[in-house]
Amino acid sequence: MASNGALQSLVHLLAIFFFVFQLVMSKSFGTSVNMTKAENVVEYHVEKPELVAQMVERSLNTSRRKLSYMSCGTGNPIDDCWRCDPNWVNNRKRLADCAIGFGKDAIGGQNGRFYIVTDPNDDDPVNPRPGTLRHAVIQTEPLWIIFQRDMVIQLKEELIMNSYKTIDGRGANVHIANGACITIQYVNNIIIHGIHIHDCKPAGNTNVRSSPTHYGYRTRSDGDGITIHGSSAIWVDHCSLSSCTDGLIDATRGSTAITISNSFFTHHDKVMLLGHSDDYTQDVKMQVTVAFNHFGEGLVQRMPRCRHGYFHVVNNDYTHWEMYAIGGSANPTINSQGNRFLASDSHKEVTKHEDAPESTWRNWNWRSEGDLMLNGAFFRASGAGASSSYTKASSMAARPSSIVGSITATSGVLTCRKGSRC
């Protein structure tokens, strides 16, 4: 027999469906009713089907989590989904059910076997040894990649990932540092969780293997921490990133369905680029969620810098920027909700509309809703104020900005020990 809690959750789920059905029929969704005399058929037309679909999807996701997992009560929906489990070592793949935002469908290696990295070396990028991280990520099968022990991995060349991979650093102190770093190129379903990524450097002008059956010549890389290039269904969670040559995370060339969450960014100039160039219009379909991150000490700009697409910047804690926090060009839609912005004494403006005169950028849809502005911080909004203009830049419900400090307090790599909660 089902427990009282399970029955209550089922009742809750049915109530949600009834509520959403009522909304669909209501005038608030622009419903029109047409009755044909011949057939007495009632036809309902919904003017905003995307909004209806989003509400149903959010309700389903919330209810599934309530049915499956007990909440830890932190207010962070990702962490509450898995961190309360002291047996996380044996339930690692639960993490893949906890993504939110535009990257919520990234399953990584959930349907594959575990691969244990035992060797931190990267001696041969064309013929990687079994047991190395490079050997793991190039395989064609889904894999959930974990680490036998603490290690610092200094990559000789870019780590070129294949689809359906999870890199899960929980239970070990894993650094990818002091060499080339991670490239996610023309693949899908990637989860990167619990990894320190720092001091990344350019590499290339040599051959690198990307699958068991293919290697090819790579030109010079930029030295990003994580490069996302022409890829989709990507989730970066609870990573700590700093001090790379170019960007910490750059997503370009038509990448989409990305969530960057619960991560800690420090000591860097150009933090996050979302969109290849003003001329690369294929990025108009890009959708990225940036949520529950802490943008901390020593950051200058691009948290993120956006082009063309749709960007939901929600419940992040900004405690330092030397030029600006959120910027962009080429008419991106930026939906800033429930963030906390603490300005320095010298730089107050959160935003920067780049590479266009005011007569152009004042039509770009940038809004601040429920953001907490401290020490004189201000957000220069532009474009339409109506919520309907931000439908494609809305990916989750924002929490109140007053609790951002608590829900981002454990951003970055967590300390996870067997037998206790992370």
Side-chain angles (χ1 to χ4, degrees), residues 151-181:
M151 57 182 69
V152 177
I153 300 173
Q154 185 173 349
L155 297 166
K156 282 190 172 182
E157 302 295 337
E158 297 169 89
L159 188 75
I160 303 176
M161 297 191 65
N162 215 329
S163 294
Y164 293 97
K165 300 292 181 293
T166 298
I167 300 178
D168 179 1
R170 288 175 295 177
N173 185 15
V174 180
H175 293 247
I176 297 176
N178 306 312
C181 287

Side-chain angles (χ1 to χ4, degrees), residues 15 19 82 143 248 378 399:
F19 172 70
W82 70 271
L143 291 174
L248 295 182
F378 67 96
R399 274 60 183 170

Side-chain angles (χ1 to χ4, degrees), residues 16-273:
I16 288 172
F17 273 112
F18 180 72
F19 172 70
V20 173
F21 178 80
Q22 286 181 312
L23 285 176
V24 172
M25 300 304 155
S26 71
K27 291 182 180 180
S28 63
F29 279 90
T31 305
S32 61
V33 181
N34 297 319
M35 184 83 74
T36 61
K37 293 182 179 179
E39 300 180 7
N40 267 354
V41 176
V42 180
E43 298 178 351
Y44 292 96
H45 170 65
V46 182
E47 293 180 359
K48 299 178 182 178
E50 289 179 337
L51 187 55
V52 176
Q54 284 181 356
M55 290 194 65
V56 172
E57 189 169 32
R58 290 171 189 167
S59 300
L60 282 171
N61 286 340
T62 300
S63 299
R64 275 198 296 265
R65 289 168 186 167
K66 286 184 177 180
L67 283 166
S68 301
Y69 315 128
M70 150 181 94
S71 172
C72 294
T74 68
N76 183 318
I78 297 174
D79 286 358
D80 285 352
C81 180
W82 70 271
R83 280 185 64 189
C84 52
D85 183 8
N87 196 29
W88 61 268
V89 170
N90 296 318
N91 296 312
R92 284 181 178 270
K93 292 183 180 180
R94 172 183 291 184
L95 178 69
D97 296 323
C98 299
I100 60 173
F102 290 122
K104 62 182 172 49
D105 293 327
I107 62 171
Q110 186 179 39
N111 295 327
R113 63 183 175 90
F114 286 100
Y115 185 113
I116 303 175
V117 175
T118 59
D119 184 351
N121 293 302
D122 188 41
D123 298 328
D124 190 344
V126 174
N127 298 296
R129 287 201 304 262
T132 62
L133 179 58
R134 188 178 299 279
H135 184 267
V137 301
I138 66 170
Q139 303 304 312
T140 55
E141 63 178 303
L143 291 174
W144 196 280
I145 301 162
I146 60 177
F147 297 84
Q148 185 184 58
R149 56 183 173 83
D150 297 352
M151 57 182 69
V152 177
I153 300 173
Q154 185 173 349
L155 297 166
K156 282 190 172 182
E157 302 295 337
E158 297 169 89
L159 188 75
I160 303 176
M161 297 191 65
N162 215 329
S163 294
Y164 293 97
K165 300 292 181 293
T166 298
I167 300 178
D168 179 1
R170 288 175 295 177
N173 185 15
V174 180
H175 293 247
I176 297 176
N178 306 312
C181 287
I182 299 172
T183 295
I184 302 169
Q185 180 170 308
Y186 300 125
V187 295
N188 59 79
N189 283 283
I190 301 292
I191 298 173
I192 301 175
H193 180 97
I195 306 293
H196 297 271
I197 302 169
H198 57 91
D199 297 288
C200 300
K201 297 174 173 57
N205 294 330
T206 190
N207 289 320
V208 181
R209 186 168 293 278
S210 58
S211 78
T213 59
H214 178 267
Y215 67 86
Y217 188 81
R218 300 291 297 180
T219 58
R220 195 73 170 161
S221 64
D222 293 333
D224 296 335
I226 300 174
T227 296
I228 306 169
H229 184 109
S231 298
S232 63
I234 311 298
W235 182 26
V236 179
D237 186 56
H238 274 296
C239 290
S240 296
L241 301 100
S242 65
S243 303
C244 294
T245 301
D246 191 31
L248 295 182
I249 301 178
D250 284 4
T252 62
R253 296 283 181 178
S255 297
T256 192
I258 299 166
T259 293
I260 299 165
S261 58
N262 292 313
S263 292
F264 186 33
F265 300 90
T266 58
H267 300 291
H268 195 77
D269 180 5
K270 299 174 180 178
V271 177
M272 189 184 303
L273 175 66

Side-chain angles (χ1 to χ4, degrees), residues 269-282:
D269 180 5
K270 299 174 180 178
V271 177
M272 189 184 303
L273 175 66
L274 306 177
H276 181 70
S277 69
D278 288 2
D279 296 329
Y280 194 82
T281 57
Q282 290 92 323

Side-chain angles (χ1 to χ4, degrees), residues 372-392:
L372 179 61
M373 303 293 179
L374 301 174
N375 196 36
F378 67 96
F379 186 109
R380 196 181 301 274
S382 58
S387 295
S388 59
S389 303
Y390 295 89
T391 299
K392 290 184 178 180

Side-chain angles (χ1 to χ4, degrees), residues 288-355:
V288 181
T289 301
V290 180
F292 311 134
N293 303 287
H294 182 188
F295 294 94
E297 184 180 3
L299 300 180
V300 179
Q301 60 181 314
R302 298 188 177 185
M303 303 170 229
R305 187 207 193 283
C306 309
R307 290 184 173 109
H308 294 296
Y310 300 89
F311 307 96
H312 196 188
V313 183
V314 54
N315 290 140
N316 301 283
D317 197 9
Y318 292 84
T319 56
H320 194 96
W321 66 88
E322 293 182 14
M323 288 179 61
Y324 68 90
I326 300 172
S329 59
N331 193 23
T333 297
I334 298 176
N335 187 13
S336 174
Q337 293 185 304
N339 301 287
R340 182 170 70 172
F341 296 100
L342 173 62
S344 68
D345 291 337
S346 58
H347 293 83
K348 303 297 186 184
E349 185 171 354
V350 170
T351 49
K352 185 179 181 183
H353 297 74
E354 298 200 80
D355 302 331

